[in-house]
Amino acid sequence: MATSPVRLTSFLIKIASRCNLACDYCYMYEHADQTWRNQPAIMSDAVTEALARRVAEYVCQEDIRAISMIFHGGEPLLAGASRLAETAQRVRNAVSPQTTITFSVQTNGTLLNERALGLLGEAGILVSLSIDGGKEVHDLHRRDHGGQSSFEGTLKALELLEANRKIYGGLLSVVDPSVAPEDLFEFFGPRMPPVWDFLLPDAHHERLPPGRDSDPALYERWLLRAFDVWFDKYPEVPVRTFDALLAVCAGLPSETDAFGLGAPNLLTIETDGSYHDLDVLKITKDGATSLDMNLDRHAVAEAANSPKFLAHSSLKRLDGLAGVCQCCPEVNVCGGGAVPHRYSHSGMRNPTVYCVEMLSLIGHARRRMNDIVAPNRTALS
């Protein structure tokens, strides 16, 4: 019988707290929270052992039958593929076989080679790659610490994954609205990734989306055009943002925190074993994610019931939204938007900083769907 009001089914494991790239939009290094500077560079054996023990304890206590564990960073492969494989095995050995575990790693790919891929494959760890597009697009923001291109290394990783689709998890990109959606789909579409997720730049009411001050409709135009390019030319490409939007519009559960109401189900664990809330909240203020608990002294259930985590959970309920959001006819679809994007100095009870863009995209998606459904209804009547 479950005992926690929040059920954690995803664990983001910060196996490394440093990165070999210097992406200029990175929420971990380039925004308000700089606590990474005090974290160990790599998660130790002692911490991974405690991690396995605490997760096993939690899923047994809560009778959770499926969880996901995402190795993250920084760049997780700085810890080495063998350490990721060993950590996955420790968790498997500790957790009851009644619970299915899906392991994955989110990497920039520059350290991925055939040997590393083989180790990850043998360990059953899916590999997802961060890549923003072709060379010119990718290198706009994703360069190394010396300012040099990272594209060739990332492209080699992409080609390795395309040749080993069994462990190919998908692709993640961050949107630069100066890049035409057509160009992105021309690059990614023919490659048919298992799933492609593109994210708007992390922003909030104290740090507005780049470029929008001089062009208020910049992101709205981009999103609507991207939706049309996908809908008309590349509907076979699984784009998580748009698939999730259409699912929520149809009344199905959301698979992303960008849409819909619900409850947070993810716990972040840093390299020192400390428990943290959603890591993207690092864009808001220094220390924003810390739950002031750790693997050594606290059970996972204590983190799930901590005041900060419960406060986050309240922001995903209707009564926790800003008043203007509660009255919005699209509240069940938008859900107030991603929580980090709601931040201002006054708190979190604000519409997302991308409110205009979200409402426009939701309305546009509904109209495009109705254009298809309405004629079919007429033909059948």
Side-chain angles (χ1 to χ4, degrees):
M1 180 69 66
T3 59
S4 298
V6 173
R7 283 173 67 81
L8 299 172
T9 55
S10 296
F11 298 86
L12 192 76
I13 310 305
K14 295 282 187 173
I15 198 82
S17 65
R18 304 296 190 269
C19 190
N20 59 336
L21 297 188
C23 306
D24 60 19
Y25 50 58
C26 182
Y27 68 77
M28 185 164 174
Y29 304 112
E30 300 298 330
H31 284 259
D33 192 314
Q34 292 293 299
T35 54
W36 64 270
R37 298 177 184 277
N38 301 319
Q39 287 289 338
I42 304 296
M43 185 176 281
S44 69
D45 285 341
V47 172
T48 62
E49 288 169 0
L51 166 69
R53 183 178 70 254
R54 289 297 193 184
V55 170
E57 171 187 77
Y58 179 73
V59 298
C60 178
Q61 172 187 328
E62 298 295 316
D63 191 27
I64 294 174
R65 298 304 177 94
I67 62 172
S68 63
M69 300 198 75
I70 307 105
F71 293 115
H72 212 272
E75 171 46 50
L77 285 178
L78 285 173
S82 58
R83 178 170 288 274
L84 271 62
E86 290 163 3
T87 302
Q89 191 57 51
R90 279 194 178 120
V91 174
R92 281 198 186 96
N93 289 343
V95 173
S96 166
Q98 292 180 321
T99 297
T100 301
I101 313 172
T102 301
F103 290 97
S104 63
V105 57
Q106 186 70 46
T107 176
N108 63 41
T110 58
L111 302 176
L112 192 67
N113 53 36
E114 290 188 6
R115 179 180 179 277
L117 197 67
L119 289 170
L120 296 173
E122 289 173 7
I125 300 173
L126 297 172
V127 181
S128 293
L129 184 67
S130 298
I131 178 172
D132 285 352
K135 179 175 171 56
E136 184 177 346
V137 175
H138 184 83
D139 286 342
L140 287 173
H141 304 283
R142 300 186 62 82
R143 293 179 175 270
D144 67 17
H145 291 275
Q148 299 302 305
S149 170
S150 68
F151 179 72
E152 293 304 324
T154 304
L155 180 62
K156 288 178 182 176
L158 177 56
E159 291 169 345
L160 276 174
L161 290 172
E162 289 173 335
N164 295 270
R165 286 191 169 261
K166 186 176 180 180
I167 65 166
Y168 183 6
L171 302 177
L172 184 148
S173 308
V174 175
V175 167
D176 184 321
S178 70
V179 178
E182 290 87 344
D183 293 343
L184 291 185
F185 277 95
E186 284 176 12
F187 179 79
F188 289 114
R191 294 182 174 275
M192 281 302 297
V195 63
W196 175 32
D197 199 4
F198 58 72
L199 309 176
L200 294 175
D202 284 312
H204 49 67
H205 295 280
E206 307 300 336
R207 180 170 171 163
L208 298 177
R212 202 177 68 178
D213 55 344
S214 59
D215 185 355
L218 180 63
Y219 292 90
E220 181 182 3
R221 282 197 313 273
W222 194 94
L223 283 169
L224 268 55
R225 182 58 188 157
F227 184 90
D228 285 343
V229 171
W230 172 70
F231 198 79
D232 295 331
K233 298 181 179 180
Y234 297 91
E236 73 282 0
V237 178
V239 177
R240 180 175 284 131
T241 305
F242 295 149
D243 286 337
L245 169 59
L246 295 181
V248 177
C249 284
L252 299 174
S254 175
E255 294 185 359
T256 169
D257 65 354
F259 296 106
L261 299 167
N265 65 356
L266 181 144
L267 181 69
T268 301
I269 301 174
E270 292 281 355
T271 52
D272 65 352
S274 56
Y275 295 136
H276 288 251
D277 199 351
L278 179 70
D279 60 337
V280 186
L281 285 164
K282 291 179 183 295
I283 71 173
T284 61
K285 58 185 179 181
D286 204 49
T289 65
S290 176
L291 300 180
D292 300 317
M293 296 181 179
N294 61 59
L295 289 166
D296 280 343
R297 297 192 300 273
H298 304 91
V300 169
E302 292 180 79
N305 286 292
S306 66
K308 280 188 175 182
F309 207 92
L310 293 177
H312 180 181
S313 182
S314 73
L315 295 170
K316 295 295 291 179
R317 299 195 308 262
L318 182 62
D319 61 2
L321 303 182
V324 66
C325 293
Q326 293 183 35
C327 299
C328 178
E330 297 293 3
V331 64
N332 289 320
V333 177
C334 175
V339 170
H341 297 168
R342 306 180 199 175
Y343 175 76
S344 75
H345 290 324
S346 65
M348 304 296 287
R349 292 192 63 159
N350 306 293
T352 170
V353 73
Y354 287 112
C355 177
V356 170
E357 290 85 352
M358 291 297 98
L359 289 178
S360 183
L361 178 60
I362 291 166
H364 186 72
R366 285 190 191 280
R367 287 190 293 273
R368 292 305 313 272
M369 286 298 295
N370 285 338
D371 288 344
I372 291 176
V373 174
N376 291 333
R377 283 178 177 164
T378 302
L380 291 171
S381 62

